[in-house]
Structure formats: C-alpha cells, structure tokens
Amino acid sequence: MKWKDQIVHLKAYQPGRSVEEVKKQFGLEKIVKLASNENPFGSSSKVQEWVQSYASSFAIYPDGYTTILRTALSEHLGLNEKQLIFGNGSDEILQIVSRSLLEPGKNTVMAAPTFSQYRHNAIVDGAEVREIPLMDGAHDLEAMRAAIDDQTAVVWLCSINNPTGVHLTKDALVTFLSQVPQDVLVVLDEAYYEYVVADDYYNALDMIQSYSNVLVTRTFSKAYGLASFRVGYGFGSEEVIQRLEPVREPFNVNTLAQGAAVAALSDQEFIDTCRAENRKGLEQFYQFCQEESLFYYPSQGNFILIDFQCDSDELFEYLMKKGYIIRSGQALGFPTFVRVTVGSEEENEGIMQAMKSFIAETAIR
C-alpha cells in the first residue's frame, strides 16, 4: 500500500473510556462519566418530544442544505443563511478547513496544548505545524502572530481553550486580528461558547463583521446536549463559506440530528439553566482545590483542569475503580493534571470525595 508518509506513525483519536467498558473491567454497577465534557443534564425536553414525534421515512436522504436548521440558526444569530456551514459535529468543519487550505509547503499556527484535531488534520494534509506554547494556560497571541509568514494558511484559536478552560479577551483578540494578513484564515473554535460568562469575552458576530478572514465554529454537542447526534456549524463571510462548501460531504448532517438541533435551539431557557448550574459546579471545584492546595485553571467551560502533582494516569486509574471516569492529562499535554467535566452537584461531591481519598492514601505511602 502506498500510504502517505505523514500518517504512518499517526495515532487515531483516543476517546475517553466508555461507561460499559469500565463497568465490565471493574465489576461496577454505576459509573459517573466526567471525561468528555458532555452535559450532565442531558438535553432539552423539546428534543425528546421532537424525536418521539418523528414519523417520516428513514429511507429518504437528509436535506443536504439543512434548510430548516439553517433558517432557525440564521434567525437566532441574525446572519444571512449563506454565512452558515453545517457539519457532522464541529470536528468535521475543522477537517473541511484543513482539507481546503492545508497542503505540503503551507503551514498552520496553533497553541500548544490545545484541541488535538487541529494538529492531527494538518499532519494528514501534509502541512507544517507551528505550535506556540501556552502562557499561563492562555494563547500567546503575540508569539502566534510572530509565527505567521507568507506560507501560513490557517491559524487556530480555541476559545475557550481545551484543556485549560481559559478564554480569549476581546481586546487581545481584536489586536491580534488587526495584525493577521487578510489571506490567512483565523478559525475561532467556540465549542463551549454557551458556558462563557466572562465580561471581557468578545462577540464573535462582531468579529466576522470586522474581519472577513474569520470563521467561527460552534457545536450542539456540549451545552445543548446533542453529542450523540453530531451537529456542528460554522459562520463567517459568504466568500469563506462558499469556498468551504464544495469540500463538505453531501448529506453530512442526518435528518434526526437536524430536527433535534432545531428543537434544542428553541429552548434557550434550558441553556440558561445549564450555564447557571455549571457555574455552581465550578465553584464547588474551586473550593475543593483551595481546601486541598491544588493548582487549577479558572474555567469558562464545563470542565476544569487540576494539578495533583502526580502521574495523572495513576489518579485516572484510581478514580475509575471508584466509579468515576475523567480525562488523564497525559494525553492532553499536562502529565500531572486531570481534566474533569463539571457534573451535577451530587456527581461533583462524589468525585471530590474520591479525590480526597486518593490524596489521603498517597500521602500515607
């Protein structure tokens, strides 16, 4: 087989451990999964109602233009329908961008550590990857700007950054965008947008109006609780969307997913509730970290990155035996940290008790 050289040593994306897998391995009846930043409160009841009422034929292809969802989302955002692109999760839109712009001889700039698929896609497409280390958990925008040259095609900005939870401020972003060449696409990955409460956060709609080389990506997988449906979207200038559309797979968002997303979008009260509960959950973790003298990054997402100053795989294994699945920092570029999804109040209390037991036991050894 004539495989691309760049994929020979490339590893596939490693998702978090599944609930059934952990149950079977440790003989547990109940598992709390706090590893993949899913919404612990599920999705709006309107989604359940819509799915149960669906009575059309499964033999018919989905609407390739995602008409109903496109109309609903354009009204929600106040955008022209032609400024939107839809994907099988926002992951697919990131892949579409990479496939459209990256190739041998081109380079792409990103933070490190950040969401792994930016780098992964770039390697598959043969582009040079320029990674700029985070500064206090945040993007070092000045260094990222310095890394851009005539062969730079895409800059990736993860805001809020996964895995640290740190956001980009409006002032910093505007300064950065004003210095980026117009022929470089800047992707603002806002997968956790609905959870952000920071006063100095930028308005992405303003950014695309002021900068025609900006594409914003968002998802229904996180706050909307539709991870199993896989629905993501992007918005930007009509010119950028027009260039990306031919690379999109036909019928890439299935019929049930489109309808579920419309139903979810109609219930913003649910999103408001989830945002408020998430802030309460983060405060629980902040208090825990302060009591245990653990470093953490204040987060604008629905997860928190905590430093236990140990091999994070050890804590990962310990918590699994206790019935809690989290994300070890070994795979995230933070080998002594763990990333924990904010759960319900009860789930948060439970995992913090398990963490306290780990701290006590390791202190004894």
Side-chain angles (χ1 to χ4, degrees), residues 142-177:
E142 184 175 342
M144 292 181 73
R145 170 62 189 92
I148 297 172
D149 63 19
D150 291 342
Q151 298 307 311
T152 302
V154 185
V155 175
W156 307 92
L157 301 178
C158 191
S159 183
I160 55 97
N161 188 51
N162 179 7
T164 59
V166 179
H167 69 289
L168 293 171
T169 67
K170 177 182 177 180
D171 289 346
L173 180 59
V174 168
T175 299
F176 177 78
L177 292 176

PDB file of all heavy atoms in Angstrom, residues 142-177:
ATOM      1  N   GLU A 142       0.825  37.112  20.833  1.00  0.00           N
ATOM      2  CA  GLU A 142       1.957  37.853  20.259  1.00  0.00           C
ATOM      3  C   GLU A 142       2.927  36.895  19.575  1.00  0.00           C
ATOM      4  O   GLU A 142       3.391  37.152  18.450  1.00  0.00           O
ATOM      5  CB  GLU A 142       2.669  38.637  21.367  1.00  0.00           C
ATOM      6  CG  GLU A 142       3.797  39.523  20.847  1.00  0.00           C
ATOM      7  CD  GLU A 142       4.420  40.381  21.938  1.00  0.00           C
ATOM      8  OE1 GLU A 142       3.790  40.550  23.005  1.00  0.00           O
ATOM      9  OE2 GLU A 142       5.532  40.905  21.710  1.00  0.00           O
ATOM     10  N   ALA A 143       3.233  35.785  20.230  1.00  0.00           N
ATOM     11  CA  ALA A 143       4.137  34.797  19.643  1.00  0.00           C
ATOM     12  C   ALA A 143       3.487  34.101  18.448  1.00  0.00           C
ATOM     13  O   ALA A 143       4.166  33.769  17.468  1.00  0.00           O
ATOM     14  CB  ALA A 143       4.545  33.770  20.697  1.00  0.00           C
ATOM     15  N   MET A 144       2.181  33.899  18.515  1.00  0.00           N
ATOM     16  CA  MET A 144       1.483  33.281  17.384  1.00  0.00           C
ATOM     17  C   MET A 144       1.525  34.193  16.167  1.00  0.00           C
ATOM     18  O   MET A 144       1.727  33.725  15.033  1.00  0.00           O
ATOM     19  CB  MET A 144       0.044  32.947  17.778  1.00  0.00           C
ATOM     20  CG  MET A 144      -0.077  31.840  18.827  1.00  0.00           C
ATOM     21  SD  MET A 144      -1.782  31.435  19.280  1.00  0.00           S
ATOM     22  CE  MET A 144      -2.328  30.549  17.806  1.00  0.00           C
ATOM     23  N   ARG A 145       1.356  35.481  16.400  1.00  0.00           N
ATOM     24  CA  ARG A 145       1.438  36.424  15.275  1.00  0.00           C
ATOM     25  C   ARG A 145       2.836  36.406  14.675  1.00  0.00           C
ATOM     26  O   ARG A 145       2.982  36.442  13.434  1.00  0.00           O
ATOM     27  CB  ARG A 145       1.089  37.841  15.764  1.00  0.00           C
ATOM     28  CG  ARG A 145       1.374  38.942  14.740  1.00  0.00           C
ATOM     29  CD  ARG A 145       0.549  38.766  13.485  1.00  0.00           C
ATOM     30  NE  ARG A 145       0.958  39.675  12.407  1.00  0.00           N
ATOM     31  CZ  ARG A 145       1.852  39.376  11.470  1.00  0.00           C
ATOM     32  NH1 ARG A 145       2.439  38.179  11.451  1.00  0.00           N
ATOM     33  NH2 ARG A 145       2.158  40.251  10.531  1.00  0.00           N
ATOM     34  N   ALA A 146       3.840  36.312  15.499  1.00  0.00           N
ATOM     35  CA  ALA A 146       5.219  36.298  15.005  1.00  0.00           C
ATOM     36  C   ALA A 146       5.516  35.042  14.184  1.00  0.00           C
ATOM     37  O   ALA A 146       6.422  35.043  13.338  1.00  0.00           O
ATOM     38  CB  ALA A 146       6.194  36.408  16.176  1.00  0.00           C
ATOM     39  N   ALA A 147       4.764  33.973  14.413  1.00  0.00           N
ATOM     40  CA  ALA A 147       4.997  32.705  13.711  1.00  0.00           C
ATOM     41  C   ALA A 147       4.363  32.686  12.324  1.00  0.00           C
ATOM     42  O   ALA A 147       4.652  31.811  11.505  1.00  0.00           O
ATOM     43  CB  ALA A 147       4.449  31.550  14.536  1.00  0.00           C
ATOM     44  N   ILE A 148       3.495  33.646  12.035  1.00  0.00           N
ATOM     45  CA  ILE A 148       2.824  33.711  10.735  1.00  0.00           C
ATOM     46  C   ILE A 148       3.775  34.259   9.669  1.00  0.00           C
ATOM     47  O   ILE A 148       4.467  35.253   9.905  1.00  0.00           O
ATOM     48  CB  ILE A 148       1.572  34.602  10.824  1.00  0.00           C
ATOM     49  CG1 ILE A 148       0.555  34.007  11.797  1.00  0.00           C
ATOM     50  CG2 ILE A 148       0.944  34.802   9.443  1.00  0.00           C
ATOM     51  CD1 ILE A 148      -0.626  34.922  12.082  1.00  0.00           C
ATOM     52  N   ASP A 149       3.818  33.587   8.524  1.00  0.00           N
ATOM     53  CA  ASP A 149       4.613  34.099   7.404  1.00  0.00           C
ATOM     54  C   ASP A 149       3.804  33.961   6.115  1.00  0.00           C
ATOM     55  O   ASP A 149       2.601  33.683   6.140  1.00  0.00           O
ATOM     56  CB  ASP A 149       5.968  33.391   7.308  1.00  0.00           C
ATOM     57  CG  ASP A 149       5.859  31.894   7.032  1.00  0.00           C
ATOM     58  OD1 ASP A 149       4.790  31.439   6.561  1.00  0.00           O
ATOM     59  OD2 ASP A 149       6.836  31.171   7.286  1.00  0.00           O
ATOM     60  N   ASP A 150       4.461  34.127   4.980  1.00  0.00           N
ATOM     61  CA  ASP A 150       3.770  34.122   3.689  1.00  0.00           C
ATOM     62  C   ASP A 150       3.142  32.770   3.351  1.00  0.00           C
ATOM     63  O   ASP A 150       2.251  32.692   2.500  1.00  0.00           O
ATOM     64  CB  ASP A 150       4.732  34.517   2.566  1.00  0.00           C
ATOM     65  CG  ASP A 150       5.155  35.971   2.647  1.00  0.00           C
ATOM     66  OD1 ASP A 150       4.451  36.745   3.337  1.00  0.00           O
ATOM     67  OD2 ASP A 150       6.174  36.335   2.035  1.00  0.00           O
ATOM     68  N   GLN A 151       3.617  31.690   3.988  1.00  0.00           N
ATOM     69  CA  GLN A 151       3.093  30.355   3.699  1.00  0.00           C
ATOM     70  C   GLN A 151       2.079  29.878   4.738  1.00  0.00           C
ATOM     71  O   GLN A 151       1.627  28.737   4.680  1.00  0.00           O
ATOM     72  CB  GLN A 151       4.256  29.354   3.607  1.00  0.00           C
ATOM     73  CG  GLN A 151       5.247  29.640   2.494  1.00  0.00           C
ATOM     74  CD  GLN A 151       4.551  29.786   1.145  1.00  0.00           C
ATOM     75  OE1 GLN A 151       3.737  28.943   0.772  1.00  0.00           O
ATOM     76  NE2 GLN A 151       4.866  30.860   0.418  1.00  0.00           N
ATOM     77  N   THR A 152       1.712  30.751   5.674  1.00  0.00           N
ATOM     78  CA  THR A 152       0.710  30.385   6.674  1.00  0.00           C
ATOM     79  C   THR A 152      -0.683  30.448   6.052  1.00  0.00           C
ATOM     80  O   THR A 152      -1.052  31.465   5.457  1.00  0.00           O
ATOM     81  CB  THR A 152       0.769  31.328   7.890  1.00  0.00           C
ATOM     82  OG1 THR A 152       2.082  31.287   8.457  1.00  0.00           O
ATOM     83  CG2 THR A 152      -0.250  30.902   8.944  1.00  0.00           C
ATOM     84  N   ALA A 153      -1.449  29.369   6.194  1.00  0.00           N
ATOM     85  CA  ALA A 153      -2.782  29.314   5.609  1.00  0.00           C
ATOM     86  C   ALA A 153      -3.886  29.419   6.651  1.00  0.00           C
ATOM     87  O   ALA A 153      -4.931  30.018   6.378  1.00  0.00           O
ATOM     88  CB  ALA A 153      -2.962  28.021   4.814  1.00  0.00           C
ATOM     89  N   VAL A 154      -3.670  28.836   7.833  1.00  0.00           N
ATOM     90  CA  VAL A 154      -4.711  28.813   8.863  1.00  0.00           C
ATOM     91  C   VAL A 154      -4.094  29.053  10.235  1.00  0.00           C
ATOM     92  O   VAL A 154      -3.029  28.508  10.550  1.00  0.00           O
ATOM     93  CB  VAL A 154      -5.461  27.465   8.896  1.00  0.00           C
ATOM     94  CG1 VAL A 154      -6.613  27.519   9.908  1.00  0.00           C
ATOM     95  CG2 VAL A 154      -5.977  27.070   7.526  1.00  0.00           C
ATOM     96  N   VAL A 155      -4.783  29.840  11.046  1.00  0.00           N
ATOM     97  CA  VAL A 155      -4.452  29.990  12.464  1.00  0.00           C
ATOM     98  C   VAL A 155      -5.647  29.488  13.260  1.00  0.00           C
ATOM     99  O   VAL A 155      -6.796  29.864  12.985  1.00  0.00           O
ATOM    100  CB  VAL A 155      -4.156  31.460  12.840  1.00  0.00           C
ATOM    101  CG1 VAL A 155      -3.937  31.594  14.346  1.00  0.00           C
ATOM    102  CG2 VAL A 155      -2.943  31.973  12.071  1.00  0.00           C
ATOM    103  N   TRP A 156      -5.388  28.633  14.243  1.00  0.00           N
ATOM    104  CA  TRP A 156      -6.453  28.058  15.063  1.00  0.00           C
ATOM    105  C   TRP A 156      -6.448  28.711  16.441  1.00  0.00           C
ATOM    106  O   TRP A 156      -5.426  28.725  17.127  1.00  0.00           O
ATOM    107  CB  TRP A 156      -6.247  26.554  15.224  1.00  0.00           C
ATOM    108  CG  TRP A 156      -6.084  25.819  13.932  1.00  0.00           C
ATOM    109  CD1 TRP A 156      -4.902  25.540  13.296  1.00  0.00           C
ATOM    110  CD2 TRP A 156      -7.118  25.284  13.106  1.00  0.00           C
ATOM    111  NE1 TRP A 156      -5.132  24.856  12.134  1.00  0.00           N
ATOM    112  CE2 TRP A 156      -6.492  24.687  11.985  1.00  0.00           C
ATOM    113  CE3 TRP A 156      -8.507  25.250  13.212  1.00  0.00           C
ATOM    114  CZ2 TRP A 156      -7.213  24.053  10.980  1.00  0.00           C
ATOM    115  CZ3 TRP A 156      -9.227  24.615  12.203  1.00  0.00           C
ATOM    116  CH2 TRP A 156      -8.584  24.034  11.105  1.00  0.00           C
ATOM    117  N   LEU A 157      -7.597  29.227  16.844  1.00  0.00           N
ATOM    118  CA  LEU A 157      -7.757  29.812  18.171  1.00  0.00           C
ATOM    119  C   LEU A 157      -8.879  29.080  18.887  1.00  0.00           C
ATOM    120  O   LEU A 157     -10.036  29.140  18.450  1.00  0.00           O
ATOM    121  CB  LEU A 157      -8.078  31.308  18.083  1.00  0.00           C
ATOM    122  CG  LEU A 157      -7.057  32.202  17.381  1.00  0.00           C
ATOM    123  CD1 LEU A 157      -7.560  33.651  17.346  1.00  0.00           C
ATOM    124  CD2 LEU A 157      -5.696  32.147  18.083  1.00  0.00           C
ATOM    125  N   CYS A 158      -8.545  28.399  19.946  1.00  0.00           N
ATOM    126  CA  CYS A 158      -9.529  27.631  20.708  1.00  0.00           C
ATOM    127  C   CYS A 158      -9.966  28.474  21.905  1.00  0.00           C
ATOM    128  O   CYS A 158      -9.200  28.688  22.838  1.00  0.00           O
ATOM    129  CB  CYS A 158      -8.904  26.322  21.183  1.00  0.00           C
ATOM    130  SG  CYS A 158     -10.053  25.141  21.873  1.00  0.00           S
ATOM    131  N   SER A 159     -11.196  28.976  21.845  1.00  0.00           N
ATOM    132  CA  SER A 159     -11.647  29.893  22.898  1.00  0.00           C
ATOM    133  C   SER A 159     -13.087  29.547  23.298  1.00  0.00           C
ATOM    134  O   SER A 159     -14.020  29.790  22.538  1.00  0.00           O
ATOM    135  CB  SER A 159     -11.586  31.335  22.409  1.00  0.00           C
ATOM    136  OG  SER A 159     -11.953  32.224  23.431  1.00  0.00           O
ATOM    137  N   ILE A 160     -13.266  28.875  24.416  1.00  0.00           N
ATOM    138  CA  ILE A 160     -12.230  28.723  25.425  1.00  0.00           C
ATOM    139  C   ILE A 160     -11.293  27.544  25.090  1.00  0.00           C
ATOM    140  O   ILE A 160     -11.724  26.606  24.432  1.00  0.00           O
ATOM    141  CB  ILE A 160     -12.831  28.562  26.846  1.00  0.00           C
ATOM    142  CG1 ILE A 160     -13.833  27.415  26.917  1.00  0.00           C
ATOM    143  CG2 ILE A 160     -13.591  29.794  27.239  1.00  0.00           C
ATOM    144  CD1 ILE A 160     -13.339  26.193  27.404  1.00  0.00           C
ATOM    145  N   ASN A 161     -10.049  27.650  25.597  1.00  0.00           N
ATOM    146  CA  ASN A 161      -9.077  26.640  25.215  1.00  0.00           C
ATOM    147  C   ASN A 161      -9.351  25.314  25.916  1.00  0.00           C
ATOM    148  O   ASN A 161      -9.585  25.253  27.116  1.00  0.00           O
ATOM    149  CB  ASN A 161      -7.661  27.107  25.558  1.00  0.00           C
ATOM    150  CG  ASN A 161      -6.613  26.174  24.999  1.00  0.00           C
ATOM    151  OD1 ASN A 161      -6.626  25.835  23.819  1.00  0.00           O
ATOM    152  ND2 ASN A 161      -5.695  25.712  25.853  1.00  0.00           N
ATOM    153  N   ASN A 162      -9.311  24.266  25.136  1.00  0.00           N
ATOM    154  CA  ASN A 162      -9.399  22.901  25.657  1.00  0.00           C
ATOM    155  C   ASN A 162      -7.984  22.319  25.601  1.00  0.00           C
ATOM    156  O   ASN A 162      -7.422  22.239  24.513  1.00  0.00           O
ATOM    157  CB  ASN A 162     -10.347  22.087  24.772  1.00  0.00           C
ATOM    158  CG  ASN A 162     -10.498  20.650  25.219  1.00  0.00           C
ATOM    159  OD1 ASN A 162     -10.011  20.248  26.258  1.00  0.00           O
ATOM    160  ND2 ASN A 162     -11.190  19.861  24.405  1.00  0.00           N
ATOM    161  N   PRO A 163      -7.351  22.030  26.759  1.00  0.00           N
ATOM    162  CA  PRO A 163      -7.978  21.617  28.009  1.00  0.00           C
ATOM    163  C   PRO A 163      -7.928  22.604  29.183  1.00  0.00           C
ATOM    164  O   PRO A 163      -8.323  22.243  30.285  1.00  0.00           O
ATOM    165  CB  PRO A 163      -7.154  20.385  28.376  1.00  0.00           C
ATOM    166  CG  PRO A 163      -5.761  20.777  27.970  1.00  0.00           C
ATOM    167  CD  PRO A 163      -5.920  21.588  26.710  1.00  0.00           C
ATOM    168  N   THR A 164      -7.440  23.816  29.009  1.00  0.00           N
ATOM    169  CA  THR A 164      -7.236  24.670  30.186  1.00  0.00           C
ATOM    170  C   THR A 164      -8.486  25.434  30.621  1.00  0.00           C
ATOM    171  O   THR A 164      -8.583  25.850  31.776  1.00  0.00           O
ATOM    172  CB  THR A 164      -6.113  25.698  29.930  1.00  0.00           C
ATOM    173  OG1 THR A 164      -6.470  26.514  28.796  1.00  0.00           O
ATOM    174  CG2 THR A 164      -4.784  24.991  29.663  1.00  0.00           C
ATOM    175  N   GLY A 165      -9.417  25.678  29.696  1.00  0.00           N
ATOM    176  CA  GLY A 165     -10.623  26.430  30.040  1.00  0.00           C
ATOM    177  C   GLY A 165     -10.454  27.930  30.020  1.00  0.00           C
ATOM    178  O   GLY A 165     -11.357  28.674  30.413  1.00  0.00           O
ATOM    179  N   VAL A 166      -9.301  28.415  29.553  1.00  0.00           N
ATOM    180  CA  VAL A 166      -9.005  29.849  29.534  1.00  0.00           C
ATOM    181  C   VAL A 166      -9.528  30.461  28.227  1.00  0.00           C
ATOM    182  O   VAL A 166      -9.398  29.873  27.157  1.00  0.00           O
ATOM    183  CB  VAL A 166      -7.495  30.094  29.678  1.00  0.00           C
ATOM    184  CG1 VAL A 166      -7.184  31.585  29.624  1.00  0.00           C
ATOM    185  CG2 VAL A 166      -6.982  29.484  30.977  1.00  0.00           C
ATOM    186  N   HIS A 167     -10.108  31.654  28.319  1.00  0.00           N
ATOM    187  CA  HIS A 167     -10.716  32.290  27.159  1.00  0.00           C
ATOM    188  C   HIS A 167      -9.831  33.391  26.578  1.00  0.00           C
ATOM    189  O   HIS A 167      -8.893  33.870  27.218  1.00  0.00           O
ATOM    190  CB  HIS A 167     -12.074  32.889  27.529  1.00  0.00           C
ATOM    191  CG  HIS A 167     -11.982  34.073  28.449  1.00  0.00           C
ATOM    192  ND1 HIS A 167     -11.624  33.964  29.772  1.00  0.00           N
ATOM    193  CD2 HIS A 167     -12.226  35.405  28.239  1.00  0.00           C
ATOM    194  CE1 HIS A 167     -11.638  35.156  30.336  1.00  0.00           C
ATOM    195  NE2 HIS A 167     -11.992  36.061  29.430  1.00  0.00           N
ATOM    196  N   LEU A 168     -10.167  33.801  25.370  1.00  0.00           N
ATOM    197  CA  LEU A 168      -9.537  34.957  24.739  1.00  0.00           C
ATOM    198  C   LEU A 168     -10.342  36.198  25.091  1.00  0.00           C
ATOM    199  O   LEU A 168     -11.570  36.189  25.003  1.00  0.00           O
ATOM    200  CB  LEU A 168      -9.507  34.799  23.223  1.00  0.00           C
ATOM    201  CG  LEU A 168      -8.628  33.701  22.634  1.00  0.00           C
ATOM    202  CD1 LEU A 168      -8.904  33.555  21.146  1.00  0.00           C
ATOM    203  CD2 LEU A 168      -7.166  34.010  22.871  1.00  0.00           C
ATOM    204  N   THR A 169      -9.664  37.262  25.469  1.00  0.00           N
ATOM    205  CA  THR A 169     -10.376  38.505  25.762  1.00  0.00           C
ATOM    206  C   THR A 169     -10.605  39.293  24.479  1.00  0.00           C
ATOM    207  O   THR A 169      -9.891  39.126  23.482  1.00  0.00           O
ATOM    208  CB  THR A 169      -9.586  39.378  26.748  1.00  0.00           C
ATOM    209  OG1 THR A 169      -8.377  39.827  26.108  1.00  0.00           O
ATOM    210  CG2 THR A 169      -9.241  38.606  28.020  1.00  0.00           C
ATOM    211  N   LYS A 170     -11.596  40.162  24.528  1.00  0.00           N
ATOM    212  CA  LYS A 170     -11.932  40.960  23.352  1.00  0.00           C
ATOM    213  C   LYS A 170     -10.757  41.829  22.907  1.00  0.00           C
ATOM    214  O   LYS A 170     -10.408  41.857  21.715  1.00  0.00           O
ATOM    215  CB  LYS A 170     -13.143  41.850  23.658  1.00  0.00           C
ATOM    216  CG  LYS A 170     -13.509  42.776  22.513  1.00  0.00           C
ATOM    217  CD  LYS A 170     -14.685  43.672  22.870  1.00  0.00           C
ATOM    218  CE  LYS A 170     -15.002  44.645  21.743  1.00  0.00           C
ATOM    219  NZ  LYS A 170     -16.141  45.531  22.081  1.00  0.00           N
ATOM    220  N   ASP A 171     -10.144  42.542  23.828  1.00  0.00           N
ATOM    221  CA  ASP A 171      -9.055  43.452  23.474  1.00  0.00           C
ATOM    222  C   ASP A 171      -7.892  42.709  22.836  1.00  0.00           C
ATOM    223  O   ASP A 171      -7.321  43.144  21.826  1.00  0.00           O
ATOM    224  CB  ASP A 171      -8.576  44.218  24.710  1.00  0.00           C
ATOM    225  CG  ASP A 171      -9.589  45.249  25.190  1.00  0.00           C
ATOM    226  OD1 ASP A 171     -10.528  45.560  24.429  1.00  0.00           O
ATOM    227  OD2 ASP A 171      -9.444  45.737  26.326  1.00  0.00           O
ATOM    228  N   ALA A 172      -7.533  41.557  23.432  1.00  0.00           N
ATOM    229  CA  ALA A 172      -6.403  40.777  22.912  1.00  0.00           C
ATOM    230  C   ALA A 172      -6.719  40.235  21.525  1.00  0.00           C
ATOM    231  O   ALA A 172      -5.860  40.248  20.623  1.00  0.00           O
ATOM    232  CB  ALA A 172      -6.063  39.647  23.866  1.00  0.00           C
ATOM    233  N   LEU A 173      -7.944  39.768  21.330  1.00  0.00           N
ATOM    234  CA  LEU A 173      -8.320  39.200  20.041  1.00  0.00           C
ATOM    235  C   LEU A 173      -8.356  40.263  18.952  1.00  0.00           C
ATOM    236  O   LEU A 173      -7.850  40.041  17.841  1.00  0.00           O
ATOM    237  CB  LEU A 173      -9.682  38.515  20.148  1.00  0.00           C
ATOM    238  CG  LEU A 173     -10.193  37.876  18.856  1.00  0.00           C
ATOM    239  CD1 LEU A 173      -9.230  36.816  18.352  1.00  0.00           C
ATOM    240  CD2 LEU A 173     -11.583  37.287  19.070  1.00  0.00           C
ATOM    241  N   VAL A 174      -8.927  41.409  19.248  1.00  0.00           N
ATOM    242  CA  VAL A 174      -9.006  42.484  18.256  1.00  0.00           C
ATOM    243  C   VAL A 174      -7.600  42.929  17.838  1.00  0.00           C
ATOM    244  O   VAL A 174      -7.326  43.132  16.646  1.00  0.00           O
ATOM    245  CB  VAL A 174      -9.813  43.676  18.805  1.00  0.00           C
ATOM    246  CG1 VAL A 174      -9.652  44.897  17.914  1.00  0.00           C
ATOM    247  CG2 VAL A 174     -11.287  43.304  18.926  1.00  0.00           C
ATOM    248  N   THR A 175      -6.711  43.064  18.810  1.00  0.00           N
ATOM    249  CA  THR A 175      -5.333  43.439  18.495  1.00  0.00           C
ATOM    250  C   THR A 175      -4.687  42.409  17.583  1.00  0.00           C
ATOM    251  O   THR A 175      -4.013  42.749  16.602  1.00  0.00           O
ATOM    252  CB  THR A 175      -4.512  43.574  19.793  1.00  0.00           C
ATOM    253  OG1 THR A 175      -5.068  44.601  20.607  1.00  0.00           O
ATOM    254  CG2 THR A 175      -3.057  43.901  19.479  1.00  0.00           C
ATOM    255  N   PHE A 176      -4.909  41.135  17.889  1.00  0.00           N
ATOM    256  CA  PHE A 176      -4.339  40.053  17.087  1.00  0.00           C
ATOM    257  C   PHE A 176      -4.899  40.060  15.667  1.00  0.00           C
ATOM    258  O   PHE A 176      -4.144  40.045  14.685  1.00  0.00           O
ATOM    259  CB  PHE A 176      -4.622  38.716  17.764  1.00  0.00           C
ATOM    260  CG  PHE A 176      -4.154  37.521  16.988  1.00  0.00           C
ATOM    261  CD1 PHE A 176      -2.812  37.168  16.978  1.00  0.00           C
ATOM    262  CD2 PHE A 176      -5.055  36.735  16.276  1.00  0.00           C
ATOM    263  CE1 PHE A 176      -2.372  36.058  16.259  1.00  0.00           C
ATOM    264  CE2 PHE A 176      -4.628  35.634  15.562  1.00  0.00           C
ATOM    265  CZ  PHE A 176      -3.281  35.291  15.549  1.00  0.00           C
ATOM    266  N   LEU A 177      -6.210  40.095  15.543  1.00  0.00           N
ATOM    267  CA  LEU A 177      -6.832  40.031  14.223  1.00  0.00           C
ATOM    268  C   LEU A 177      -6.449  41.214  13.347  1.00  0.00           C
ATOM    269  O   LEU A 177      -6.329  41.079  12.118  1.00  0.00           O
ATOM    270  CB  LEU A 177      -8.349  39.953  14.363  1.00  0.00           C
ATOM    271  CG  LEU A 177      -8.922  38.663  14.975  1.00  0.00           C
ATOM    272  CD1 LEU A 177     -10.431  38.773  15.126  1.00  0.00           C
ATOM    273  CD2 LEU A 177      -8.553  37.456  14.123  1.00  0.00           C
TER     274      LEU A 177
END
